[in-house]
Amino acid sequence: MHNIAFQLTETGETLVKKTLTGVLEIPIEHYISIDFEGFRSVIDELDGVEVDVDRKLYYNDPTDGTYIDLTPGLQVLNGDQALDYVRHREDNRGVKYYSSDYDRNRRQQEVIKVMTDKLASLGELTKLFKLLEVAGEHLQTDLSKGQIMGLAMDLKDISPSTLVSLDNGGYWKDGYTYLDREKFLTVRTTLQREMDVRSDQISELNNSPIHASDKGTTSTNQ
């Protein structure tokens, strides 16, 4: 009996970077991911986030300890509640109360904007360092400590009013996500322009099933 060793050459993070690079034709150089506990801790360290819950969200799953019970209205959510707010998908009251991926994305963007506003108002570097310390053990990234500090300093000076969301026109149908071709190409072109991606770089990055020169069909690079 022989032992066979396999070397993992691709992780979830590297695959996401590679996929986004090919589809959007922009260089995705780094990633940062944070686990649920880290998300809760950061929100609590920021003394919560104020959001306008648009409808009642209710889901109870005793098998994993999930208990979501949020009522509509403007309110400050703590770490646990904020995680419930961005995670809600199924609902105990039935399918018509479910949250789609687009609902979840909208809520996530809302929370990120509030967090950005709070980061900009921290003022003191000691508070920023404390926040990084709280998040530290729950973060996974390929950034160095120095790069993380530099990024944190940049984020502190960003105002939510400068954040822009790009609508790709995506919609859900029969278990699949479909993208509006023209809106997707607009998103891709906008990102390339803002990142100053050169035309010669684009040809090297291209691995997309959607091509600007072929607006009638969808093709896949082999």
Side-chain angles (χ1 to χ4, degrees), residues 53-59 67-72 81 84-93 97-99 107:
V53 180
D54 60 339
R55 61 186 176 89
K56 183 174 178 59
L57 306 175
Y58 180 72
Y59 178 65
Y67 183 69
I68 300 174
D69 188 8
L70 296 175
T71 56
Q81 294 168 324
D84 290 343
Y85 182 62
V86 301
R87 284 186 65 200
H88 180 270
R89 185 190 299 275
E90 297 183 4
D91 197 291
N92 289 112
R93 295 168 297 169
Y97 296 100
Y98 282 18
S99 292
R107 295 189 196 113

Side-chain angles (χ1 to χ4, degrees), residues 96-189:
K96 70 177 182 179
Y97 296 100
Y98 282 18
S99 292
S100 69
D101 285 342
Y102 299 102
D103 294 327
R104 286 153 57 94
N105 289 342
R106 173 182 52 78
R107 295 189 196 113
Q108 290 163 10
Q109 291 174 4
E110 181 182 5
V111 170
I112 288 173
K113 287 184 177 181
V114 176
M115 292 174 67
T116 302
D117 188 27
K118 287 211 162 189
L119 285 171
S121 64
L122 283 179
E124 299 177 16
L125 288 178
T126 53
K127 293 183 180 179
L128 182 60
F129 293 153
K130 175 61 177 177
L131 193 64
L132 289 174
E133 180 182 337
V134 168
E137 62 186 83
H138 303 284
L139 284 176
Q140 290 188 355
T141 182
D142 54 0
L143 290 165
S144 68
K145 290 184 178 180
Q147 288 173 316
I148 292 175
M149 288 304 303
L151 181 61
M153 294 298 292
D154 290 339
L155 286 174
K156 196 173 80 66
D157 296 326
I158 293 178
S159 167
S161 62
T162 64
L163 298 180
V164 177
S165 297
L166 300 175
D167 180 13
N168 61 20
Y171 61 93
W172 181 263
K173 180 181 179 182
D174 299 328
Y176 293 91
T177 295
Y178 294 83
L179 298 180
D180 178 273
R181 179 184 293 274
E182 296 302 324
K183 286 187 177 181
F184 172 81
L185 294 175
T186 298
V187 169
R188 189 163 68 182
T189 301

